[in-house]
Amino acid sequence: MMTHDQYLATRRFTALDGVRAIAAVLVVVFHYGGPNWERANGWIGVHLFFVLSGFLITTLALREEARNGRISLAEFYIRRAFRILPVYYVVLGVVVVFAYLRGMGLRHSGILAALPWNAAFVGEFHQMTMFGQAWTLGVEQKFYLVWPLLAFGVGALGFVKRLSLALGLVVAMLAMISFLPYATSYSPILIGCALAIALHHRKGFAALRVFTHPAVGLVVAAALITVQTTFAEIGELLGDKNGAITSTIYIVLAALLVPSLVAGGPLAWVLSLRPMRFIGERSYSLYLMQGVVAVALAGAIPQFAPHRLLTAVAVTIVGLLAADLLYRWVEVPMMDVGRRIIARRRDRKTAPAAEVAEPALVTA
């Protein structure tokens, strides 16, 4: 099993790219695989993205705080802006232009009405044709805006207070489900945050260390897959009408899988293979492009119009080709721009060279 010192010394969590690859493909299969793939419950794959986002963002912040005594909120927001915004707006523009060229009618299709909402990252309240899945980005963006201020910007919080804050917010979000439907979407992110806080602290890591064992990781993965494929049945068994209990079980299992993937082992090795990393690195663009790719394929090749496995495979392959272009031409260059801006800010403050390098964790 991994030690706490080994965990803190680990600079890249490559297996998490494989998790994002699986999550992204599950979402595509759920959307376009047809009724035969309903039991895959790919929609819940979004929760994997959320857990990883909370875990990675908070881990980066905690490690920066440990190095420098505090985190730079300005640098955090610069990194997030150049990671999320450029490709998001490029794909949003592609959707609008594609709809216009196909003669769909921007007003008739509802795209024009939904555009301001999606441009402002509140698409969960007004989803857009071919871009409906982007509501999750609205959830994440609001998390990115608020969480660093609460956990790192208000004042120095100790381990207990910071962990209590994360868990308290989880309970608050679950309690608000009846009043705010998307409140439950923040729970997986916050559980990911709580995991990061626990693992960063020596006592918290000791409590969770058993989950770094590869065999325990396989058991957790098996339980996770079981919940994923029998979600409705488990919900009925528990009398879980709105799915909140079953979703929380799934989210907790997803979080408990992370320590074993960070520590290594057979499952981590598989998820770290080059094809898995390739898809995982491009999962953001694939996730954004799936709608427009599906419509384009259905229009060009009628055989891909019905939702079935062949359609899902085609959307995944073509979507990955498009995602690769976006990753190379938009995502990576714009992340580099963000890093250069941060480096120039630090140079003006005469920051030591050791502080200029950004931690090499998997980008959230």
Side-chain angles (χ1 to χ4, degrees):
M1 291 189 291
M2 185 179 243
T3 67
H4 186 238
D5 290 337
Q6 288 173 329
Y7 169 73
L8 294 180
T10 303
R11 289 179 54 82
R12 185 162 179 83
F13 305 150
T14 53
L16 300 189
D17 267 334
V19 177
R20 291 196 296 189
I22 291 173
V25 173
L26 275 175
V27 171
V28 175
V29 170
F30 175 72
H31 284 156
Y32 305 104
N36 290 336
W37 286 87
E38 286 182 357
R39 285 183 63 84
N41 291 310
W43 63 272
I44 207 172
V46 170
H47 291 72
L48 293 177
F49 282 118
F50 284 160
V51 170
L52 294 185
S53 290
F55 170 73
L56 291 168
I57 288 300
T58 306
T59 297
L60 285 170
L62 289 166
R63 292 188 176 187
E64 180 181 345
E65 183 182 62
R67 281 195 319 274
N68 304 336
R70 63 181 181 85
I71 77 163
S72 169
L73 290 175
E75 291 180 8
F76 173 87
Y77 291 126
I78 290 171
R79 281 194 294 268
R80 290 296 89 204
F82 282 91
R83 173 70 182 97
I84 300 296
L85 301 185
V87 73
Y88 179 90
Y89 286 122
V90 167
V91 177
L92 181 60
V94 167
V95 170
V96 173
V97 172
F98 179 78
Y100 175 77
L101 293 177
R102 280 184 59 86
M104 293 175 64
L106 299 183
R107 188 178 300 277
H108 177 72
S109 63
I111 288 178
L112 196 61
L115 184 57
W117 295 81
N118 285 268
F121 282 91
V122 285
E124 64 266 41
F125 301 111
H126 198 145
Q127 295 183 17
M128 178 187 289
T129 302
M130 296 184 290
F131 203 60
Q133 73 280 4
W135 69 267
T136 60
L137 276 302
V139 169
E140 287 197 340
Q141 281 297 86
K142 287 184 275 294
F143 158 75
Y144 293 144
L145 287 173
V146 176
W147 172 249
L149 293 173
L150 293 177
F152 298 94
V154 175
L157 297 179
F159 165 67
V160 174
K161 288 184 178 179
R162 203 169 264 161
L163 183 61
S164 298
L165 172 65
L167 295 178
L169 288 172
V170 170
V171 173
M173 291 298 104
L174 292 175
M176 293 173 62
I177 291 175
S178 300
F179 311 100
L180 186 63
Y182 286 95
T184 186
S185 301
Y186 291 93
S187 298
I189 308 179
L190 290 162
I191 288 175
C193 296
L195 175 69
I197 294 166
L199 291 178
H200 187 76
H201 193 271
R202 192 169 296 276
K203 289 184 178 179
F205 185 90
L208 295 174
R209 190 183 176 210
V210 64
F211 293 101
T212 67
H213 195 288
V216 176
L218 290 173
V219 172
V220 174
L224 186 71
I225 293 170
T226 300
V227 175
Q228 174 119 15
T229 55
T230 59
F231 188 91
E233 291 87 340
I234 292 175
E236 290 178 7
L237 183 65
L238 297 175
D240 186 20
K241 294 181 180 180
N242 58 16
I245 298 173
T246 317
S247 293
T248 302
I249 293 171
Y250 180 88
I251 294 161
V252 170
L253 288 171
L256 293 178
L257 181 63
V258 171
S260 70
L261 299 181
V262 171
L267 183 58
W269 178 80
V270 171
L271 292 171
S272 299
L273 292 174
R274 189 170 180 178
M276 300 297 286
R277 297 202 315 270
F278 179 90
I279 299 173
E281 289 170 350
R282 290 149 183 82
S283 59
Y284 179 34
S285 289
L286 171 62
Y287 183 77
L288 291 175
M289 283 293 296
Q290 60 179 297
V292 69
V293 167
V295 173
L297 275 174
I301 306 173
Q303 288 85 347
F304 291 136
H307 287 189
R308 51 181 176 159
L309 179 59
L310 182 63
T311 302
V313 171
V315 171
T316 301
I317 293 172
V318 177
L320 273 174
L321 294 174
D324 184 55
L325 295 178
L326 289 169
Y327 179 75
R328 295 173 186 273
W329 294 354
V330 181
E331 290 190 61
V332 172
M334 294 310 296
M335 284 190 286
D336 288 341
V337 171
R339 293 189 186 101
R340 288 197 295 271
I341 291 173
I342 290 172
R344 285 199 295 269
R345 290 184 79 257
R346 292 178 177 179
D347 287 341
R348 287 198 296 269
K349 296 179 180 179
T350 63
E355 294 182 4
V356 173
E358 182 179 350
L361 300 180
V362 174
T363 306

